[in-house]
Amino acid sequence: MLPKKSGILAVALVVLALAGCGIGRDLPPIPEGIPPGPGTPLPLIDVDGPGRTALQLRGWAGDQAGALGIPPVALEAYGYAAAVMASSRPGCGIAWTTLAGIASVESKHGTHRGSGVDDHGTVVPPIIGIPLDGAPGVALIRDTDGGRLDGDPFYDRAVGPLQFIPETWQRWGVDANGDGVIDPQNIDDAALTAARYLCASGGDLTSERGWQQALMTYNQSTRYLLTVRDRAAAYSVGRRV
């Protein structure tokens, strides 16, 4: 999660950040409106199963990962996080498409700068952002974790495929894959942590107001919100971005 910006950007134009929109191909139009659609329904799974229970979504993810351009393991993580929240906090209604939209913007689903997501959901090599040292256009956040998560003992840096700052991770981080470790570099842990944070921030994410509030808490930028919305909406109709 990127640190809060100083003020909200005034954006008058819809963000057209969809690469590879498929000119010349017969693709479904990208829906407008907020919140973006929920996408392909999740099958019923046992969210409390042992180990990496996101594996129960292997078939569901495999059927659409290629068309969406999302690594299957990452898509499993987004689906599992949405399923957990549907069970534990049904009033939230967060969809896997929203998590996929955020992860696409933050780290290209864990593939930023040559990283990849292994079979256990861990991003290798780790994704670590720039120092939040107060440089022009950069927030100032002095170290809150002794460098434990980001390797920087002076300033915080956003970490992992969902780009959490250490202070936020220490409060909201959760073990989603049953390995006993709460790891921001693991896409299962990061996706469920993001889902919990968004639901707490926005309340009802099936409403326009709730979804917008959740996204603005995650990153106080209207441009960011619209980019996530566009990407999530594309995923909702089976299009890659």
Side-chain angles (χ1 to χ4, degrees):
M1 179 180 63
L2 296 178
K4 294 181 179 180
K5 308 296 190 298
S6 55
I8 299 174
L9 298 177
V11 178
L13 299 176
V14 174
V15 178
L16 298 177
L18 300 174
C21 287
I23 296 175
R25 290 187 291 163
D26 185 15
L27 296 174
I30 297 172
E32 299 180 356
I34 293 175
T40 305
L42 294 165
L44 184 65
I45 64 172
D46 177 11
V47 297
D48 297 316
R52 186 175 183 261
T53 47
L55 282 171
Q56 296 173 70
L57 294 173
R58 179 57 54 89
W60 172 85
D63 287 344
Q64 55 185 332
L68 297 176
I70 299 175
V73 173
L75 191 52
E76 291 165 12
Y78 310 148
Y80 177 69
V84 169
M85 298 313 296
S87 174
S88 63
R89 190 165 177 168
C92 171
I94 189 170
W96 66 263
T97 53
T98 290
L99 296 169
I102 292 173
S104 172
V105 174
E106 297 289 4
S107 71
K108 299 180 181 178
H109 308 293
T111 66
H112 179 65
R113 291 189 176 180
S115 290
V117 185
D118 69 17
D119 291 340
H120 303 288
T122 300
V123 174
V124 182
I127 296 175
I128 299 176
I130 63 172
L132 302 174
D133 57 6
V138 178
L140 174 60
I141 304 180
R142 300 192 185 279
D143 175 64
T144 61
D145 69 331
R148 183 176 66 85
L149 295 176
D150 57 14
D152 190 332
F154 303 105
Y155 301 100
D156 272 352
R157 300 174 181 236
V159 293
L162 273 296
Q163 286 291 276
F164 279 93
I165 58 174
E167 183 178 27
T168 306
W169 183 262
Q170 290 179 82
R171 178 180 178 186
W172 291 96
V174 63
D175 174 20
N177 64 353
D179 66 356
V181 180
I182 302 174
D183 182 6
Q185 300 291 345
N186 180 273
I187 203 158
D188 294 316
D189 294 0
L192 183 53
T193 297
R196 293 176 66 239
Y197 182 81
L198 290 163
C199 286
S201 301
D204 179 8
L205 267 65
T206 66
S207 70
E208 179 177 357
R209 178 179 180 181
W211 195 89
Q212 288 181 324
Q213 181 172 312
L215 266 292
M216 293 302 288
T217 303
Y218 206 90
N219 188 314
Q220 287 191 356
S221 163
T222 301
R223 185 178 297 276
Y224 178 90
L225 180 151
L226 291 174
T227 303
V228 170
R229 192 221 73 88
D230 283 349
R231 297 189 183 193
Y235 292 141
S236 77
V237 293
R239 292 182 58 165
R240 66 171 57 215
V241 301

